[in-house]
């Protein structure tokens, strides 16, 4: 995991039925008529809601996806009016899905902390304790007539803490960069794909951030294909927005220092 920045989690305690229902609820939403989706469209003032990057050119490559972004935590940012009501149980499913993933993220934070040689609560405390941020981005990748000219998502690393991805259960698409090669991830049944974000690794500062680069935030992208669509749910678990982000003193060599707010990234 330190080299790849990605790992899969099975036997994680989240209901497989809930995972399937969450994915299929969003598939139904993205199959809704455009006027239904546009009723939840995001605006220049907020990223929250429905949006589309179908056919948006980025260099010589087209982006090829629709998406939906929602805040989950803190509760002051949570606007249930932005949550779809199609299908009818979508809001109920979303709420339970968010609760279970917040729990799972807390358990993963303990594991990562122990793996760094720290106390199990140390990493969580560096995030701001229980007062953290969480949000959801759902991606829908329609069939693409020319997949060689498009990417579902261009190459990037995640800017936050950790990401839990619920991939499509039939169609792989996530690729991870390893030694200048793009490796396609093969999801295990009812597994979450977990990756480390920039705020833990600190790839955006020479001296590193929380883990002092002992955990890696790795570039990844999403490919599309001409015969099958894909739906995936990315749940982002981030430090509290105003907590100072700095390397944990237990992990930093003498004379090395870096401090910034999570808002700076």
């Amino acid at each position: 995991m330190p080299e790849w920045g990605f790992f899969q989690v099975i036997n994680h305690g989240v209901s497989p039925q809930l995972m399937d229902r969450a994915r299929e609820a969003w598939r139904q939403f993205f199959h809704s008529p455009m006027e239904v989706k546009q009723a939840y469209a995001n605006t220049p003032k907020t990223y929250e809601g429905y949006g589309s990057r179908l056919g948006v050119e980025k260099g010589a490559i087209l982006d090829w996806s629709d998406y939906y972004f929602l805040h989950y935590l803190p509760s002051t940012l949570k606007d249930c009016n932005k949550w779809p009501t199609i299908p009818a149980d979508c809001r109920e499913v979303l709420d339970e899905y968010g609760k279970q993933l917040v729990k799972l993220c807390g358990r993963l934070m303990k594991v990562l902390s122990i793996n760094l040689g720290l106390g199990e609560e140390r990493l969580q405390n560096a995030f701001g304790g229980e007062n953290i941020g969480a949000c959801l981005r759902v991606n829908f990748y329609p069939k693409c007539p020319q997949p060689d000219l498009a990417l579902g998502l261009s190459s990037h690393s995640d800017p936050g803490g950790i990401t839990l991805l619920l991939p499509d259960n039939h169609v792989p698409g996530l690729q991870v960069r390893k030694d200048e090669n793009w490796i396609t991830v093969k999801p295990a049944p009812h597994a979450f794909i977990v990756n480390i974000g920039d705020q833990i690794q600190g790839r955006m500062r020479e001296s590193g951030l929380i883990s002092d680069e002992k955990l890696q935030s790795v570039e990844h992208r999403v490919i599309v294909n001409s015969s099958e669509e894909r739906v995936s749910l990315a749940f982002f678990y981030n430090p509290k927005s105003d907590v100072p982000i700095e390397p944990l003193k237990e992990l930093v060599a003498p004379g090395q220092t870096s401090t910034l707010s999570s808002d700076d990234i």
Side-chain angles (χ1 to χ4, degrees):
M1 193 272 287
E3 294 181 11
W4 287 86
F6 279 75
F7 58 96
Q8 296 196 56
V9 178
I10 60 174
N11 301 324
H12 40 64
V14 179
S15 161
Q17 293 78 18
L18 178 63
M19 297 168 72
D20 291 341
R21 185 66 194 114
R23 188 170 39 219
E24 291 312 306
W26 281 109
R27 192 185 302 274
Q28 289 179 48
F29 173 81
F30 284 111
H31 278 246
S32 299
M34 182 54 71
E35 59 267 24
V36 172
K37 293 183 285 191
Q38 285 293 345
Y40 295 96
N42 56 16
T43 69
K45 292 184 178 180
T46 174
Y47 188 56
E48 196 166 22
Y50 167 77
S52 179
R53 294 192 58 79
L54 281 177
V56 175
E57 188 169 352
K58 194 169 187 179
I61 297 292
L62 298 177
D63 279 355
W64 197 262
S65 68
D66 285 354
Y67 64 89
Y68 206 112
F69 180 84
L70 289 172
H71 290 292
Y72 190 78
L73 289 174
S75 57
T76 53
L77 293 179
K78 186 176 178 180
D79 182 3
C80 290
N81 292 323
K82 283 286 189 179
W83 296 25
T85 55
I86 296 174
D89 64 344
C90 190
R91 290 183 176 180
E92 178 184 350
V93 169
L94 270 176
D95 194 49
E96 182 60 27
Y97 185 79
K99 287 177 183 176
Q100 292 202 22
L101 262 67
V102 167
K103 274 187 195 177
L104 174 56
C105 287
R107 292 166 61 196
L108 288 171
M109 292 287 282
K110 292 180 180 180
V111 172
L112 292 173
S113 194
I114 292 169
N115 283 346
L116 287 169
L118 306 170
E120 66 175 28
E121 299 297 336
R122 186 68 175 95
L123 197 54
Q124 185 73 55
N125 289 339
F127 266 45
E130 297 303 314
N131 190 8
I132 51 87
C135 51
L136 176 72
R137 176 177 166 131
V138 187
N139 296 303
F140 176 70
Y141 308 100
K143 298 175 186 178
C144 181
Q146 292 184 286
D148 55 322
L149 300 180
L151 285 170
L153 282 178
S154 301
S155 175
H156 66 286
S157 61
D158 291 349
I162 58 174
T163 303
L164 269 64
L165 179 72
L166 175 59
D168 195 288
N169 56 340
H170 298 300
V171 188
L174 175 65
Q175 292 188 327
V176 175
R177 186 188 286 275
K178 181 71 166 67
D179 300 329
E180 303 306 315
N181 297 312
W182 287 106
I183 310 300
T184 300
V185 178
K186 297 179 180 178
H190 288 116
F192 285 104
I193 300 171
V194 182
N195 68 282
I196 302 302
D198 294 339
Q199 286 181 336
I200 287 186
Q201 188 228 346
R203 63 185 293 120
M204 302 184 77
R205 293 292 187 277
E206 288 183 9
S207 59
L209 292 181
I210 289 177
S211 77
D212 198 38
E213 301 195 3
K214 292 176 175 60
L215 299 173
Q216 297 295 312
S217 174
V218 173
E219 281 186 272
H220 50 286
R221 68 182 188 182
V222 178
I223 57 174
V224 293
N225 62 63
S226 60
S227 59
E228 296 183 277
E229 66 181 33
R230 293 180 63 252
V231 176
S232 64
L233 285 67
F235 190 82
F236 303 102
Y237 188 84
N238 300 324
K240 181 184 175 185
S241 63
D242 60 353
V243 69
I245 300 297
E246 59 186 355
L248 300 178
K249 63 180 184 295
E250 301 95 318
L251 303 176
V252 180
Q256 197 176 39
T257 182
S258 174
T259 305
L260 63 155
S261 165
S262 59
D263 288 334
D264 296 330
I265 296 184

